[in-house]
Amino acid sequence: MENIKRLQISRRQLIILGITSVSTTGHLITVSVLIGRAGRDAWLAWFLTLILAVGVLWVIARLGEIYPGENLISIISRILPRPFGFLLGLAYVVFFFLALAVLLRTVTAFMVIGVLPEVPVWFVIVSFAFLGFYGVRKGVEAFLRVAEILFPLLIFFGIAASLRTMSDKDYHELLPILGAGWEPIFWGSLVALGFLGELIGLTMYYPFLEERTELFRLNLAILLATGVLFIGPITGVIAVFGLEQVLNLTFPTFSQLRSISVIGFVERIDSLAIFLMLVGSYVKIASISYACNLAVATLFPLKANNLYLNITIAVGVSLISMFIFFNYLTLQNFVHNTYFKVGLLFGVVIPCLLLLIWWLKKIYSSRW
Amino acid sequence: MDLQRFLSAYKYIKRSSPAKELKQAEEHSFSIPIAKDIEMTKYLLEETFSTANDFVIRNIKLSTHSGILVYLDGLVNTMTISEHIIKPLFAAQDLKLNEKQPLTHIKESFLIASQIQEKDTYADAIEAILQGNTVLFLDKIPQCLIIDTSEFDYRGVQEPATEMVVRGPREGFTESLLTNMTLLRRKINNPKLKSEQFSIGTNTNTKVLLIYLEDLVDPLVLQEARKRLRSIKIDSVLESGYIEELIEDAPTSPFPTIGNTEKPDIAASKILEGKLVILTDGTPIALTLPYTFVETLQVPEDYYSRAYYASFVRIIRCVCLLISLYLPGIYIATSTFHAEMIPTDLLVTMVAAREGIPWPVVVEVFLIWIIYEALREASIRMPKPMGSAVSIVGALVLGQAAIQAGITSPIVVIIVSTTAIAGLVLPSQTDALGLLRLPFVLLGAIFGFYGIMWGSLILLTHMTSLKSFGTPYTEPFAPLDTIRLRDTIVRFPWWFMPNRPGNLKVSRRSTSLNKALEGKEDD
């Protein structure tokens, strides 16, 4: 653990990491899944998700504060007895691995469907896996600095694209509000909460924070920023295309970008979408790979950022992306029907149970 | 030590030992104390400088001692030796010297020189002779006097050809270490300006000065710089580039992590930012460290002209940096994969211009690029009078003949020449930009924008992973330092920067960096 602990990151970097992670999955998956479940009221579902997420992020922050300087895997081993702790730690490694594979395959699908139709899928997967591998090899400080440098650009382009499509938006498309009642909103928010469950990965980075931080406030900053940033895309795509058309779009936010021309000179700005997705995916792939790496290094007596472990993760994730999610339909089915449940289990249920067990243990030890 | 035994052993070693052993033996024999017997000293020095035709031994006779004056002709001012050493010694020939400390007596009462030192080993004496000093040995005295008589012919202080300015000081460093140090002292009249001397190169014993301002320097960086300079193992140092390569953090990276300058005002400004300057004897190029990427965008004139104009020029430099790195790759990517992005009118013009060109755009770009690089290399190396001839050939070949012959289109000539001009705006990164352009051209030609952006992320990750003596290369952008950000892409007016931004480095340096450096020390 010694070499792991010596690395340090700032609060700003962790917030940027959180926002970038949520945004990437958000643009690629959450927006379309949320609209698919909650329809016109997706924005209401998103608000409900944010309210529920506040509780989840409090739990995650509390765990981090109870065991300062410990990552999720070591926290689990502190709360649960050895065999259970080890097995749950291993399960989290599998979860990180799965999250990585899903992201890799989704972003590949985005590139292949959207901008690189002639390039083989395997090549895009390998190129993304290599990016992640390179980022991890260069260290957490390096890829978080990349995020820190490019984050203002991402925000600027995102806001500019949103403003540029303002004239095409008809917000009457969002009416009637609550047309289908509360049920779709509830299910939609639960699905979105499942995707936000990936934020549990942040706990792997808590020990690196250079300043003593109130973790809940930090998590809340991430949540508020992503909450505000996502209202635009969720409502924007419905306002531009209408609900019926959005439901047929694979990547609605990307389709919205395609309709933009810049000052009547640059006709299509697909490259902007490539840029936004590539940067976001890179940061997220590198961060989950690193988290996976740390989790394995904490479970087993291994050195953090071990070369062979990095290679194994990059190759393993590439193979899963290629052979298990062999086409986009398989991936879509998995993401829409199964993956959010996995996210809910590992990102919401288990952390809450862990806190509950810690609390019960505390009460038990204080009484006896 | 017995004279005969020493001499026979020395002769034996010199005759029979292989070069390495001989060197060790010589080093060993030089580190021994100076012999009382003047004949032994004389013999040893004659053997040491046996093939040096500029080596001079001048016998002198005093009342109680005989002695020798030793120096290398050409490195010394002979007038100084005659007037300030030999003449006073002759005048004192009949005087009785202090029996216990004759050398101190001579030093204090007779010799007229600014610097005189007493030493007691042959190693010190020989080093001093090689540096242009005159050494006085006396019989029966196991010490010597090292008298500063050095004088070399050096180029005067001139404006450096590589760092011209419209407004600002015109003086540049010279090949003389002493002159360079003086130039710095004239800029920073402060007793806290410290210089530490190192001797590097087993054969050249080149003098190297590590200069810093005691109050501002980061002690950990200073410690690290000392450590790295001491650890250099090389036979010769003929230019500061040797040292740069041996002490920089990432010698395999295309990006320099140690800066260099020929101008004392730049070196002084770096020192005032708490950085270190390394001066090397025999070269006008000073090294500055730590060096961050943002320094690429800064030139001294930015601080001498108005802040608004300086900021405007810096933005131009940023644009040039991007043009130099990306323009050919983006052109190839756009025309090959993303034609839909180009406005129709421009696309029609581009297609019409390429009509009849027999090869793909990427080959066209490479062809013109190679011709440009060849012309550039030729114009740097060839004699000056031929410059105009090459310019005419270049202009004709590139500008007209190639287009008329249907080898290339005018737009590619414009792209390559714009890229070339943009690259020259940032001299410190010209090498890196030239090298990195190639991968971006290839990535753009094979994978379009996706390839270029993929390459950019790899490049940016590489840059953010670089450190220069513990300072992140991409500072103050990442890690973000809002105060130092005031002197980056835009230069804020001075009243917004009461302290030089760099001065804050020590106090603002994150604990992680300190720890990282401390960790390095431990290792």
Side-chain angles (χ1 to χ4, degrees):
Chain A
M1 284 291 283
E2 201 48 43
N3 49 348
I4 304 174
K5 279 184 180 170
R6 274 173 65 173
L7 288 165
Q8 289 200 325
I9 58 176
S10 67
R11 274 179 296 207
R12 187 190 300 112
Q13 286 175 331
L14 198 66
I15 291 173
I16 289 172
L17 173 64
I19 297 172
T20 319
S21 299
V22 176
S23 308
T24 309
T25 316
H27 281 290
L28 290 172
I29 305 171
T30 317
V31 171
S32 58
V33 175
L34 199 61
I35 293 172
R37 296 265 177 173
R40 283 189 175 81
D41 296 327
W43 62 278
L44 273 176
W46 179 243
F47 274 128
L48 188 59
T49 310
L50 295 179
I51 293 165
L52 295 172
V54 171
V56 177
L57 291 180
W58 178 82
V59 170
I60 293 172
R62 192 78 195 95
L63 286 172
E65 280 165 357
I66 292 166
Y67 298 103
E70 307 266 359
N71 65 36
L72 179 68
I73 306 299
S74 48
I75 289 172
I76 290 171
S77 65
R78 291 285 206 96
I79 294 175
L80 298 180
R82 167 78 189 161
F84 299 109
F86 183 81
L87 285 175
L88 189 58
L90 215 55
Y92 266 100
V93 172
V94 175
F95 172 61
F96 291 142
F97 214 75
L98 187 68
L100 202 52
V102 167
L103 176 66
L104 198 59
R105 188 63 185 88
T106 312
V107 80
T108 301
F110 168 79
M111 289 294 168
V112 173
I113 295 168
V115 283
L116 296 166
E118 289 161 22
V119 177
V121 169
W122 68 264
F123 180 83
V124 182
I125 288 176
V126 169
S127 68
F128 266 102
F130 180 79
L131 259 185
F133 166 77
Y134 187 73
V136 173
R137 281 310 297 160
K138 289 293 173 183
V140 62
E141 286 177 334
F143 69 75
L144 285 183
R145 279 179 199 151
V146 173
E148 201 174 6
I149 292 171
L150 296 177
F151 185 69
L153 283 178
L154 296 184
I155 296 294
F156 171 76
F157 284 140
I159 292 172
S162 175
L163 292 176
R164 191 66 192 81
T165 53
M166 204 54 101
S167 57
D168 305 326
K169 286 174 185 167
D170 177 9
Y171 282 101
H172 289 103
E173 294 285 346
L174 297 173
L175 299 174
I177 297 170
L178 288 173
W182 280 100
E183 199 184 339
I185 294 172
F186 174 73
W187 288 115
S189 64
L190 215 55
V191 172
L193 190 66
F195 293 123
L196 281 184
E198 286 179 354
L199 279 177
I200 189 74
L202 288 183
T203 49
M204 300 303 292
Y205 291 88
Y206 286 162
F208 304 146
L209 278 168
E210 65 183 357
E211 305 107 354
R212 210 176 151 72
T213 309
E214 203 183 312
L215 296 173
F216 180 55
R217 281 176 66 181
L218 188 140
N219 287 350
L220 214 55
I222 296 170
L223 194 69
L224 277 176
T226 43
V228 171
L229 286 174
F230 264 84
I231 286 296
I234 291 169
T235 54
V237 287
I238 299 175
V240 171
F241 299 111
L243 180 64
E244 287 71 28
Q245 211 179 328
V246 171
L247 293 174
N248 294 323
L249 294 171
T250 318
F251 300 106
T253 47
F254 174 58
S255 304
Q256 195 183 344
L257 267 181
R258 277 194 142 174
S259 64
I260 301 172
S261 74
V262 179
I263 52 171
F265 182 74
V266 180
E267 298 295 330
R268 278 173 55 177
I269 50 169
D270 300 11
S271 50
L272 191 63
I274 308 176
F275 173 73
L276 295 172
M277 279 305 127
L278 198 59
V279 173
S281 309
Y282 161 70
V283 173
K284 189 161 183 182
I285 290 170
S287 66
I288 303 179
S289 302
Y290 200 81
C292 198
N293 201 307
L294 285 177
V296 177
T298 314
L299 277 177
F300 301 98
L302 280 175
K303 198 183 154 199
N305 213 353
N306 180 302
L307 174 67
Y308 299 108
L309 190 57
N310 290 343
I311 293 173
T312 310
I313 291 170
V315 173
V317 164
S318 304
L319 291 175
I320 290 175
S321 297
M322 272 184 250
F323 296 112
I324 296 189
F325 305 122
F326 50 87
N327 62 28
Y328 187 64
L329 204 63
T330 322
L331 176 75
Q332 216 172 12
N333 278 333
F334 179 76
V335 167
H336 283 241
N337 302 316
T338 315
Y339 182 62
F340 78 92
K341 293 172 191 164
V342 180
L344 277 174
L345 177 69
F346 283 95
V348 180
V349 179
I350 295 177
C352 291
L353 285 175
L354 284 172
L355 190 65
L356 186 69
I357 295 169
W358 171 80
W359 186 63
L360 290 172
K361 273 173 81 175
K362 196 183 162 196
I363 291 173
Y364 181 80
S365 60
S366 65
R367 282 202 183 162
W368 302 100
Chain B
M1 187 186 287
D2 176 52
L3 174 64
Q4 287 308 317
R5 272 179 59 203
F6 173 77
L7 292 180
S8 56
Y10 184 75
K11 279 180 186 170
Y12 174 76
I13 289 166
K14 199 152 189 175
R15 263 201 318 271
S16 60
S17 299
K20 194 179 167 188
E21 284 173 30
L22 172 63
K23 203 171 167 188
Q24 283 171 352
E26 278 181 348
E27 276 169 10
H28 177 70
S29 62
F30 291 153
S31 66
I32 61 167
I34 291 166
K36 285 187 177 177
D37 190 328
I38 195 76
E39 287 305 316
M40 182 172 158
T41 300
K42 207 169 165 181
Y43 184 86
L44 185 68
L45 292 172
E46 276 172 348
E47 281 292 312
T48 307
F49 294 99
S50 57
T51 53
N53 60 356
D54 53 352
F55 178 66
V56 178
I57 293 185
R58 171 80 161 79
N59 292 306
I60 52 164
K61 184 85 186 152
L62 300 173
S63 59
T64 48
H65 299 78
S66 60
I68 52 171
L69 272 175
V70 187
Y71 57 88
L72 285 171
D73 203 5
L75 292 181
V76 294
N77 184 334
T78 45
M79 187 63 80
T80 307
I81 296 174
S82 305
E83 291 295 316
H84 300 144
I85 300 173
I86 297 175
K87 213 170 169 180
L89 285 175
F90 269 87
Q93 217 170 13
D94 298 329
L95 294 173
K96 198 179 176 198
L97 296 172
N98 183 324
E99 276 179 22
K100 284 184 180 170
Q101 292 177 314
L103 279 179
T104 313
H105 190 190
I106 290 173
K107 183 173 87 174
E108 289 173 355
S109 308
F110 305 123
L111 298 179
I112 310 162
S114 58
Q115 282 185 45
I116 306 174
Q117 291 173 292
E118 278 182 59
K119 295 283 179 184
D120 54 10
T121 65
Y122 285 113
D124 290 328
I126 288 165
E127 193 186 337
I129 293 167
L130 289 167
Q131 285 168 1
N133 295 293
T134 298
V135 181
L136 173 66
F137 295 93
L138 288 185
D139 197 17
K140 299 172 208 154
I141 308 294
Q143 281 108 25
C144 67
L145 280 186
I146 294 170
I147 309 150
D148 182 18
T149 52
S150 59
E151 189 184 81
F152 324 101
D153 289 330
Y154 276 121
R155 188 168 62 91
V157 176
Q158 295 165 341
E159 184 173 13
T162 52
E163 289 173 272
M164 305 286 249
V165 286
V166 177
R167 180 177 173 174
R170 310 235 182 267
E171 59 193 8
F173 285 129
T174 71
E175 283 73 12
S176 162
L177 194 64
L178 202 63
T179 311
N180 294 346
M181 188 62 214
T182 313
L183 287 169
L184 276 179
R185 280 229 182 267
R186 278 177 52 204
K187 301 270 175 206
I188 306 170
N189 293 308
N190 189 334
K192 299 265 169 87
L193 182 71
K194 304 289 177 191
S195 65
E196 293 177 18
Q197 189 174 316
F198 296 82
S199 181
I200 301 172
T202 48
N203 284 339
T204 54
N205 286 312
T206 310
K207 273 198 244 173
V208 172
L209 289 182
L210 180 66
I211 304 156
Y212 55 90
L213 206 57
E214 202 175 27
D215 284 352
L216 297 179
V217 73
D218 185 335
L220 289 171
V221 174
L222 177 63
Q223 205 177 341
E224 183 65 23
R226 279 183 194 138
K227 194 175 130 188
R228 291 191 197 179
L229 282 172
R230 279 193 200 112
S231 66
I232 291 178
K233 284 187 173 54
I234 192 169
D235 65 331
S236 58
V237 173
L238 301 176
E239 212 276 332
S240 54
Y242 288 58
I243 295 170
E244 181 180 347
E245 206 170 318
L246 289 163
I247 64 168
E248 72 180 327
D249 287 73
T252 52
S253 170
F255 294 101
T257 47
I258 290 180
N260 64 68
T261 182
E262 254 187 278
K263 285 176 67 67
D265 55 321
I266 298 180
S269 76
K270 302 289 177 199
I271 291 171
L272 292 168
E273 285 174 13
K275 294 182 176 173
L276 295 140
V277 166
I278 295 176
L279 291 176
T280 310
D281 198 18
T283 174
I285 310 290
L287 302 177
T288 63
L289 56 100
Y291 182 77
T292 53
F293 183 73
V294 77
E295 289 177 58
T296 305
L297 305 172
Q298 299 165 336
V299 297
E301 264 179 288
D302 292 348
Y303 305 97
Y304 309 146
S305 51
R306 297 180 75 78
Y308 315 110
Y309 180 70
S311 303
F312 168 71
V313 178
R314 277 199 189 168
I315 292 167
I316 295 288
R317 274 182 224 128
C318 289
V319 174
C320 286
L321 175 78
L322 296 176
I323 287 176
S324 171
L325 195 59
Y326 290 119
L327 187 63
I330 287 179
Y331 171 69
I332 293 168
T334 319
S335 55
T336 314
F337 294 99
H338 311 283
E340 76 280 356
M341 281 182 69
I342 307 170
T344 318
D345 294 345
L346 183 62
L347 189 64
V348 170
T349 314
M350 281 166 65
V351 171
R354 273 195 49 76
E355 205 173 334
I357 307 293
W359 33 57
V361 190
V362 61
V363 177
E364 211 184 327
V365 168
F366 267 118
L367 196 73
I368 299 298
W369 188 8
I370 288 167
I371 293 171
Y372 162 74
E373 286 294 337
L375 277 168
R376 194 175 70 97
E377 193 60 21
S379 60
I380 294 168
R381 311 277 164 231
M382 73 189 169
K384 264 188 183 169
M386 289 173 72
S388 54
V390 172
S391 302
I392 293 164
V393 170
L396 286 176
V397 169
L398 281 171
Q400 278 188 303
I403 296 167
Q404 281 174 358
I407 292 170
T408 182
S409 61
I411 201 155
V412 168
V413 176
I414 295 169
I415 295 284
V416 172
S417 47
T418 310
T419 308
I421 292 165
L424 296 174
V425 172
L426 304 149
S428 61
Q429 296 289 355
T430 307
D431 296 353
L433 292 173
L435 273 175
L436 293 169
R437 213 173 289 144
L438 176 68
F440 282 110
V441 165
L442 291 175
L443 286 168
I446 302 169
F447 306 111
F449 277 143
Y450 173 75
I452 291 174
M453 287 172 194
W454 185 88
S456 303
L457 281 176
I458 294 279
L459 181 67
L460 205 53
T461 310
H462 170 71
M463 285 173 73
T464 52
S465 71
L466 290 178
K467 278 183 184 173
S468 175
F469 288 79
T471 306
Y473 195 54
T474 47
E475 202 189 47
F477 301 111
L480 188 67
D481 183 336
T482 45
I483 294 177
R484 296 193 63 216
L485 215 55
R486 294 173 190 180
D487 185 23
T488 50
I489 296 171
V490 172
R491 176 176 90 71
F492 278 45
W494 280 117
W495 59 83
F496 278 104
M497 299 189 286
N499 292 317
R500 276 176 177 269
N503 288 1
L504 300 166
K505 184 186 287 295
V506 179
S507 55
R508 293 185 63 82
R509 176 184 281 282
S510 66
T511 47
S512 65
L513 290 174
N514 282 331
K515 280 188 179 172
L517 271 173
E518 278 162 8
K520 212 164 188 178
E521 295 292 327
D522 297 342
D523 296 341

